[in-house]
Amino acid sequence: MRKKGANGQESRARLLIVAANEFAKSGYHQTKISTIVSRAGLTQPSFYLYFESKEAVFKELVEKFRSELKILLEGSRLESGIDEEHVTGRLQSVLTGLFAFLGKDSDLTQIGFFIGDDAVIVKSEMVAMIEQNLKAEQRDGYFDGDLDMHIVAECLVGVIERLTSQQLLTGKRTPEDLARHVVSLFMHGISIYPAKRAT
């Protein structure tokens, strides 16, 4: 970025917002720089004051999503010593925060979680971070010690991905509602019958 000052920062921010919306709506390949600058009320030469290319804007948006998600997941691990009756509520709070993040900027979520080439990597990183948290929580006695937390993390990310695209971003469900359902499913299952151990 070569331009300094409040006007330059405002123009750059406007380009990022418009670009995110265009990428989310039209995809990477169909989005044109001319459309971005026109919608942002700027000229095409001004675009190059802030970004080298369309790819540079897209990568910056993906990295923004990725880094914010990483910070959120790093702070989501259950602390040691939570009373058993508060674990479900704490998990629900963590998942509500995650769904709220994914719903806050739907354009950025579309880019970072669904349409970007790095979306698969972002979700793999998410699985690894959730698995790490779950293993620590398993050691703290919150979860069944026999569970393979890699499988649990994969399942959880799959559920989050699907619910985000089909329920959250479409406005059908709130982050709180989705979190409540996911925690209920993972903590209590779907059966009304008491669990029987295989002999």
Side-chain angles (χ1 to χ4, degrees):
M1 179 174 110
R2 297 200 308 255
K3 206 167 187 180
K4 302 290 182 189
N7 287 342
Q9 290 174 353
E10 186 182 303
S11 296
R12 190 177 195 281
R14 198 162 59 238
L15 284 168
L16 281 168
I17 290 166
V18 172
N21 183 251
E22 283 297 318
F23 288 132
K25 184 175 66 176
S26 305
Y28 177 80
H29 297 291
Q30 297 302 315
T31 295
K32 297 184 176 4
I33 291 173
S34 57
T35 307
I36 294 169
V37 296
S38 173
R39 282 193 54 207
L42 298 166
T43 63
Q44 197 142 337
S46 67
F47 175 90
Y48 292 102
L49 292 173
Y50 309 106
F51 305 103
E52 289 181 11
S53 62
K54 178 174 82 168
E55 181 184 10
V57 179
F58 192 80
K59 281 187 173 180
E60 183 169 326
L61 290 166
V62 169
E63 193 48 46
K64 180 180 189 319
F65 176 83
R66 197 177 195 168
S67 63
E68 288 179 7
L69 179 62
K70 183 178 179 184
I71 290 165
L72 182 66
L73 291 174
E74 283 173 347
S76 68
R77 190 179 142 211
L78 298 183
E79 56 276 7
S80 300
I82 301 173
D83 292 336
E84 189 178 330
E85 65 266 18
H86 296 120
V87 171
T88 298
R90 180 71 178 88
L91 286 171
Q92 202 165 307
S93 174
V94 165
L95 268 178
T96 297
L98 179 56
F99 279 120
F101 164 75
L102 293 169
K104 177 181 71 174
D105 187 339
S106 61
D107 292 339
L108 199 59
T109 297
Q110 285 287 354
I111 293 164
F113 211 45
F114 296 106
I115 66 172
D117 289 342
D118 287 348
V120 172
I121 297 167
V122 168
K123 282 177 272 204
S124 292
E125 291 171 349
M126 188 176 179
V127 167
M129 292 181 76
I130 290 174
E131 179 184 359
Q132 184 178 14
N133 287 349
L134 288 171
K135 283 180 174 177
E137 293 157 355
Q138 190 177 43
R139 286 190 298 273
D140 285 339
Y142 295 132
F143 306 120
D144 183 344
D146 293 333
L147 286 173
D148 181 335
M149 287 308 183
H150 180 73
I151 298 296
V152 175
E154 290 276 13
C155 291
L156 192 51
V157 171
V159 167
I160 290 166
E161 178 184 14
R162 180 70 179 172
L163 291 178
T164 297
S165 70
Q166 299 301 307
Q167 301 291 321
L168 182 67
L169 298 183
T170 58
K172 292 178 184 172
R173 300 284 181 137
T174 65
E176 294 80 9
D177 192 32
L178 291 174
R180 184 173 55 80
H181 278 85
V182 172
V183 170
S184 179
L185 173 64
F186 276 79
M187 294 297 284
H188 309 295
I190 61 172
S191 176
I192 60 169
Y193 303 106
K196 292 183 181 176
R197 290 237 178 234
T199 55

